[in-house]
């Protein structure tokens, strides 16, 4: 459960629109690699510091019960790729009749990789609010829904579906903990001028990062543009006095934000800030 810093830089890295720019990636370790590789493909230098550590639940009984009762559900919602990794049953055990939903393409891709294809994704916003705007979830009266999520997740989605007449079961399939190590590597990289941007994908991760950085590290990171994947995350970042730039969501939104921001700035000016 560490917050060890590592990067995917290479001496043979090709130039690109993010040429040589250090970008902190705070996704949990398993999900960080995909975003880091995309940053590297654009010429950037991803610096990975997982702000949240994902672990299995201490009590697996609710998950095991849900797997045993899958045939009784009409609808399943997986709230994140972590929910898929820790909550999906073994391949071949997913009932084809269940309508499956994901809040974004990353979770839908994870579901497809787990043998659960054709997950429905919002078209307005990539979150619970977007899911609730899907016509197929407008009238769920009498339907039984299972939501696979982390321990202590928001009640908003389940409560809204209950108000529409559904029977909803929340199934905690993973838990989030703060990294146990500090962020000395990040502080060193910022002091050395090797960091030019920060990406955030979780409000809880913002809190964990700020706590690990300490006052001196927070002063350094407050000078960076901070790209947040959701309005709630951007708001939490601003509460910590960070320069939040709200993006469209997901890895694609974060990358678009980075490209828009740095594309308008000469490389020499970026590195001298």
């Amino acid at each position: 459960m560490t917050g060890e810093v590592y990067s995917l830089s290479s001496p043979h890295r090709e130039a690109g629109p993010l040429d040589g720019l250090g970008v902190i990636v705070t996704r949990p370790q398993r999900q960080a690699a995909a975003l880091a590789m995309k940053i590297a493909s654009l010429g950037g230098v991803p610096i990975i510091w997982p702000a949240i550590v994902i672990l299995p639940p201490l009590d697996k009984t609710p998950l095991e019960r849900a797997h045993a009762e899958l045939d009784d559900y009409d609808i399943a919602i997986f709230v994140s790729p972590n929910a898929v990794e820790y909550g999906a049953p073994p391949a071949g055990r997913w009932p084809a009749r269940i309508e499956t939903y994901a809040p974004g393409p990353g979770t839908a891709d994870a579901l497809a990789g787990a043998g659960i294809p054709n997950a429905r994704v919002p078209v307005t916003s990539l979150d619970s609010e977007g899911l609730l705007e899907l016509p197929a979830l407008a009238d769920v009266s009498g339907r039984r829904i299972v939501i696979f999520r982390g321990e202590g997740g928001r009640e908003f989605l389940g409560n809204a579906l209950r108000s529409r007449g559904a029977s909803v079961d929340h199934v905690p399939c993973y838990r989030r903990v703060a990294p146990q190590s500090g962020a000395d590597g990040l502080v060193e990289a910022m002091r050395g001028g090797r960091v030019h941007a920060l990406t955030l994908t979780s409000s809880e991760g913002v809190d964990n990062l700020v706590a690990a950085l300490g006052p001196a590290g927070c002063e350094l990171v407050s000078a960076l543009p901070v790209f947040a994947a959701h309005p709630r995350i951007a708001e939490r970042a601003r509460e910590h006095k960070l320069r939040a730039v709200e993006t469209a969501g997901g890895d694609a939104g974060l990358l678009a934000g980075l490209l828009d921001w740095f594309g308008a700035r000469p490389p020499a000016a970026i590195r001298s800030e």
Side-chain angles (χ1 to χ4, degrees):
M1 292 186 289
T2 70
E4 182 179 357
V5 175
Y6 58 102
S7 71
L8 299 182
S9 61
S10 165
H12 305 295
R13 173 181 48 80
E14 296 185 5
L18 299 180
D19 187 27
L21 299 177
V23 181
I24 300 174
V25 176
T26 57
R27 279 197 183 281
Q29 188 167 344
R30 294 201 183 195
Q31 282 80 50
L35 177 57
M37 290 176 66
K38 292 171 184 174
I39 291 169
S41 73
L42 295 169
V45 180
I47 302 166
I48 301 175
W49 190 86
I52 293 179
V53 179
I54 305 298
L55 297 173
L58 294 174
D59 181 6
K60 296 184 179 181
T61 303
L63 179 60
E64 293 169 351
R65 184 184 304 117
H67 285 172
E69 298 176 357
L70 281 175
D71 287 325
D72 296 332
Y73 290 105
D74 303 296
I75 294 171
I77 301 172
F78 289 81
V79 303
S80 67
N82 290 316
V84 178
E85 179 179 351
Y86 289 89
R93 289 183 53 191
W94 189 257
R97 60 173 290 277
I98 300 182
E99 296 175 18
T100 309
Y101 293 82
T107 305
D109 288 345
L111 282 165
I116 306 174
N118 305 316
R120 305 183 190 188
V121 177
V123 295
T124 52
S125 60
L126 303 180
D127 51 21
S128 296
E129 289 81 355
L131 281 170
L132 290 169
E133 291 186 21
L134 289 172
L137 293 178
D139 182 5
V140 289
S141 180
R143 309 194 78 186
R144 190 175 179 195
I145 300 176
V146 57
I147 300 178
F148 293 96
R149 65 176 191 174
E151 293 180 356
R154 285 206 306 163
E155 300 292 331
F156 171 76
L157 179 59
N159 288 342
L161 292 169
R162 287 191 185 102
S163 73
R164 298 178 182 183
S167 171
V168 179
D169 292 331
H170 288 114
V171 177
C173 52
Y174 65 94
R175 55 194 172 100
R176 302 173 292 266
V177 300
Q180 292 185 346
S181 67
D184 292 346
L186 285 185
V187 174
E188 180 184 352
M190 287 188 287
R191 283 179 174 155
R194 301 191 300 277
V195 181
H196 305 90
L198 167 67
T199 62
L200 296 171
T201 56
S202 162
S203 296
E204 185 178 351
V206 179
D207 296 338
N208 292 345
L209 174 64
V210 168
L213 284 172
C218 285
E219 183 176 353
L220 292 167
V221 82
S222 67
L224 301 176
V226 177
F227 299 87
H230 192 276
R232 286 192 301 274
I233 303 170
E235 180 59 30
R236 184 67 62 84
R238 294 186 190 104
E239 290 172 1
H240 287 293
K241 312 301 182 185
L242 302 183
R243 298 166 55 193
V245 179
E246 189 178 312
T247 72
D251 286 359
L254 291 170
L255 292 169
L258 287 163
L259 291 170
D260 287 346
W261 181 273
F262 290 110
R265 292 160 171 255
I270 295 168
R271 294 185 180 88
S272 65
E273 290 181 353

